[in-house]
Amino acid sequence: MKTSKERHDNKLDRDEIEARIRSFVDGFRRVGVKVTHQRLEIFRELANSSDHPDPERVFRGVRRRVPTISLDTVYRTLRSLVDLELITVLGSHLRRVRFDANISPHHHFVCRKCGMTRDFYNERYDWLKIPAVVEALGTVEGTHVEARGLCARCVKGKGRQSA
Amino acid sequence: MKTSKERHDNKLDRDEIEARIRSFVDGFRRVGVKVTHQRLEIFRELANSSDHPDPERVFRGVRRRVPTISLDTVYRTLRSLVDLELITVLGSHLRRVRFDANISPHHHFVCRKCGMTRDFYNERYDWLKIPAVVEALGTVEGTHVEARGLCARCVKGKGRQSA
DNA sequence: ATGGATGCAAACCATTTGCAGTGTA
DNA sequence: TACACTGCAAATGGTTTGCATCCAT
């Protein structure tokens, strides 16, 4: 595992990627899921990318090496990988869009299971200090903290999907 | 404007809501958009809710007072409200799902225009202190910081939608 | 060999759009 | 009155699913 400093430049070295691929094979074997050529290449594609591709992009990338791959397999594999917690989904991507009429700066507690979202306030979190490297990427206009966890209902096992 | 402390309990008082409705009417009038009965009720429904409803829920709520309202009008109005920056969309809700093969705790810089997302690291942000009130809502498993702004391409006006 | 994985095509479902009628400014 | 807004219904587009075939174990 690398330290924060070493990872800063977003460059992924071969060792790191090979380690990820090993944990992928282990993870799949452990739950008795077959390690197919397609799945391996889909995961490799993702492990190699430091940006955050959507299924279509993963599909196009993998197709260069596995021309017969189908988009559905990409979708299915990505979903399995999320279920196995080998990758994550970017942002709180719930089924439907949800809106926030609260314009003043605030932060969110989000339940990772049902999506329940509640506001909280802490002015010190509205403008957190961001590493200098990020300033090369663009202009930061503010920061938002997301506290992730499980809501009381879901802790009790009563929560439904995407509430 | 209330202080953080006063807002903590998520209860919205009448004054706050009326202030929001005034800014809604002003905002619409300012850009020469008509203030219709439907639009006012849609905004009122949202301003009254401290959770974060999806279009369907807003629709069902408004329908109790405006039985002839259509779901499309709700969608259209919500979009106008976002464009006028009178409300916001919850989470980075992009067109397609996007994945992250990086399992180690990290944070994101997100361009609010094109959706470009890059990782950054700061171990102090992995477990930020969360107000005690939140602990009543559920179990916090960690924190994630999102630095929001404009990427270099979009600052130059070269960015496309949802890249 | 055999049951899960794949590829294809059709289904799904949240969201968007075209159009004719309606109401605000 | 004029033109934007609304409601309806049909289109869109990302994602999911049913099914016959294929391949990792």
Side-chain angles (χ1 to χ4, degrees), chain B residues 26-43:
Chain B
D26 290 351
F28 265 44
R29 289 248 164 81
R30 191 176 341 112
V31 291
V33 173
K34 289 176 183 170
V35 180
T36 62
H37 183 206
Q38 291 93 324
R39 284 174 172 171
L40 188 60
E41 291 306 320
I42 289 167
F43 184 74

Side-chain angles (χ1 to χ4, degrees), chain A residues 108-131:
Chain A
H108 288 134
F109 167 72
V110 180
C111 174
R112 66 167 157 83
K113 195 174 164 213
C114 75
M116 187 211 78
T117 302
R118 292 292 179 274
D119 299 349
F120 69 87
Y121 298 86
N122 185 332
E123 275 148 34
R124 282 174 25 212
Y125 295 170
D126 301 346
W127 283 96
L128 286 168
K129 204 169 176 326
I130 298 303

Side-chain angles (χ1 to χ4, degrees), chain B residues 79-98:
Chain B
R79 200 142 67 97
S80 310
L81 289 168
V82 172
D83 292 345
L84 285 171
E85 297 181 19
L86 289 168
I87 65 172
T88 57
V89 177
L90 216 75
S92 40
H93 200 287
L94 304 161
R95 266 224 146 9
R96 316 183 219 265
V97 191
R98 287 164 56 187

